Amino acid sequence: MATAASHVVISSSHSISRLSPFQLCILDPKSSFLSCTSTRRSQALVNGGGGGVRCMAVETASEAAKTKKAGYEIQTLTGWLLKQEQAGVIDAELTIVISSISMACKQIAVLVQRAGISNLTGVQGAVNVQGEDQKKLDVVSNEVFSNCLKWSGRTGIIASEEEDVPVAVEESYSGNYIVVFDPLDGSSNIDAAVSTGSIFGIYSPNDECLADIGDDATLDQVKQRCVVNVCQPGDNLLAAGYCMYSSSVIFVLTLGKGVFAFTLDPMYGEFLLTQENIQIPKAGKIYAFNEGNYQLWDGKLKKYIDDLKDPGPSGKPYSARYIGSLVGDFHRTLLYGGIYGYPPDKKSKNGKLRLLYECAPMSFIVEQAGGKGSDGSRRILDIEPTEIHQRVPLYIGSVEEVEKLEKYLS
């Protein structure tokens, strides 16, 4: 029924035949046409009463969602993880572990941003197991990371750059995942407010390390079991990622099915999905090496670098970009293509990057994005660690660029 004022008619299948239920119809008094919209597609066209009924079909909500996203539609890291859980990609325990890591990264991001204000710049006065001076933020970030993982209740063993040996987590209730991490990569850049980051990798649960320390087990025996369980090749990784603290706080994650990036929105205090299924370019014209060590390098590597600088027929040499933070240099390489390298030299026979919690997680990420990680001759993910803080050379980036370097070094 319509009134002169509103010219609106609500029809049902009982009042007008061949129309879908619950249609909203607008009456045009000049033409005597009734324009109707429906929540379901309708092809009806009914004439009668000296006028006509013209019905316009509209898409359902689900169909519209496929073609266009709502302007205010956002997806948080937590929501995305729950979808992966529902799809059977990960279980509830791993969801909690990754959420705990993201919480640690949020806390560290605040500490990094306030480092100068909170007197967290400079050296702590201690030396870590690798013989490196610990920055104040190294120590604090390690504590933040460790606490978030311990109190998640789903972590069995944690191994950190700042810890001498892996730690068995007593607060574990289930899950018992093994998490390896560098809590603050590139901390030497902190005082200059340059990009830093956190790197992590997650391995399968393993109950062997969670021994009951009593009369039949000594602490050294438990630690030894932890070391054995943690020393797994990168090919065993279930998940890996990093968080970069820069102009934006970006959390990059792979669960073994593509690479996804989440950006921290300070308004919501949440990581929001900003890039899906990231693919590294097959080739690139950027290289990131610390050329200050050039004279200490092998002749084959020198020849490779020299050739990159040669303009050649194109007249355009490669561009050199080096931040000095693995996370920062890697993130740029992931997006733009090219190659990042930390080679061995006369001072550091195996380079300076750690296999377990730097090279392996980054190589897992780059392979999921279609790139490659190598030590110059072997795939990084195939290397079996023999010690927690083992160092290896690393060349990582676009497939064509890494394979080109391997030819020079062969």
Side-chain angles (χ1 to χ4, degrees), residues 69-75 267-268 272:
K69 290 186 178 180
Y72 293 97
E73 182 181 349
I74 59 175
Q75 184 160 13
M267 183 169 69
Y268 296 113
L272 305 182

Side-chain angles (χ1 to χ4, degrees), residues 101 145 159-161 178-183 185 198-203 230 232-243 252-256 258-259 326-327 330 334 353-369 371-374 379-383 385 388 390 392 394 396:
I101 291 172
F145 229 96
S160 165
E161 177 185 13
I178 298 169
V179 182
V180 296
F181 59 92
D182 181 352
D185 169 72
S198 300
I199 307 170
F200 64 90
I202 304 174
Y203 289 93
V230 169
Q232 301 183 44
D235 226 15
N236 290 357
L237 281 164
L238 297 178
Y242 61 86
C243 188
V252 176
L253 175 66
T254 179
L255 303 176
V259 180
L326 173 58
V327 169
F330 177 83
L334 180 67
L353 298 179
R354 270 68 55 152
L355 170 62
L356 195 63
Y357 40 81
E358 290 177 322
C359 301
M362 289 306 206
S363 295
F364 187 52
I365 294 168
V366 83
E367 286 197 8
Q368 286 298 313
K372 186 172 184 178
S374 169
R379 177 175 177 250
I380 288 290
L381 297 184
D382 289 337
I383 302 174
I388 298 300
Q390 179 178 341
V392 294
L394 177 66
I396 193 168

Side-chain angles (χ1 to χ4, degrees), residues 109-136:
V110 173
L111 292 170
V112 168
Q113 291 168 350
R114 292 183 53 82
I117 300 170
S118 305
N119 194 31
L120 287 174
T121 57
V123 178
Q124 173 76 11
V127 176
N128 66 15
V129 68
Q130 289 91 39
E132 301 166 335
D133 289 330
Q134 286 182 309
K135 298 285 186 179
K136 292 178 182 177

Side-chain angles (χ1 to χ4, degrees), residues 93-125:
E93 314 296 341
L94 188 52
T95 298
I96 294 172
V97 172
I98 296 173
S99 295
S100 300
I101 291 172
S102 72
M103 177 57 70
C105 291
K106 290 179 188 178
Q107 294 182 52
I108 294 172
V110 173
L111 292 170
V112 168
Q113 291 168 350
R114 292 183 53 82
I117 300 170
S118 305
N119 194 31
L120 287 174
T121 57
V123 178
Q124 173 76 11

Side-chain angles (χ1 to χ4, degrees), residues 177-337:
Y177 284 94
I178 298 169
V179 182
V180 296
F181 59 92
D182 181 352
L184 194 60
D185 169 72
S187 58
S188 59
N189 287 326
I190 283 290
D191 295 359
V194 178
S195 299
T196 55
S198 300
I199 307 170
F200 64 90
I202 304 174
Y203 289 93
S204 303
N206 196 317
D207 296 330
E208 292 181 16
C209 184
L210 304 177
D212 182 19
I213 303 176
D215 296 335
D216 298 327
T218 66
L219 184 59
D220 286 341
Q221 289 172 332
V222 174
K223 284 182 178 178
Q224 184 60 39
R225 281 196 289 272
C226 286
V227 170
V228 172
N229 294 332
V230 169
C231 286
Q232 301 183 44
D235 226 15
N236 290 357
L237 281 164
L238 297 178
Y242 61 86
C243 188
M244 184 174 70
Y245 313 115
S246 186
S247 56
S248 297
V249 179
I250 300 176
F251 189 88
V252 176
L253 175 66
T254 179
L255 303 176
K257 293 183 179 294
V259 180
F260 299 79
F262 303 80
T263 302
L264 183 63
D265 188 332
M267 183 169 69
Y268 296 113
E270 293 280 358
F271 283 109
L272 305 182
L273 180 63
T274 48
Q275 291 175 284
E276 300 182 64
N277 293 309
I278 299 172
Q279 288 291 303
I280 186 171
K282 296 295 182 185
K285 300 292 286 186
I286 298 174
Y287 72 97
F289 288 70
N290 182 2
E291 291 191 75
N293 294 324
Y294 180 87
Q295 295 300 333
L296 303 176
W297 289 342
D298 176 81
K300 294 179 180 179
L301 182 60
K302 288 181 180 180
K303 176 71 167 80
Y304 168 75
I305 295 295
D306 291 341
D307 285 352
L308 293 186
K309 295 178 181 179
D310 186 352
S314 69
K316 293 183 179 180
Y318 278 59
S319 297
R321 300 284 186 273
Y322 187 73
I323 298 171
S325 162
L326 173 58
V327 169
D329 281 312
F330 177 83
H331 188 69
R332 182 198 58 247
T333 304
L334 180 67
L335 298 183
Y336 301 155

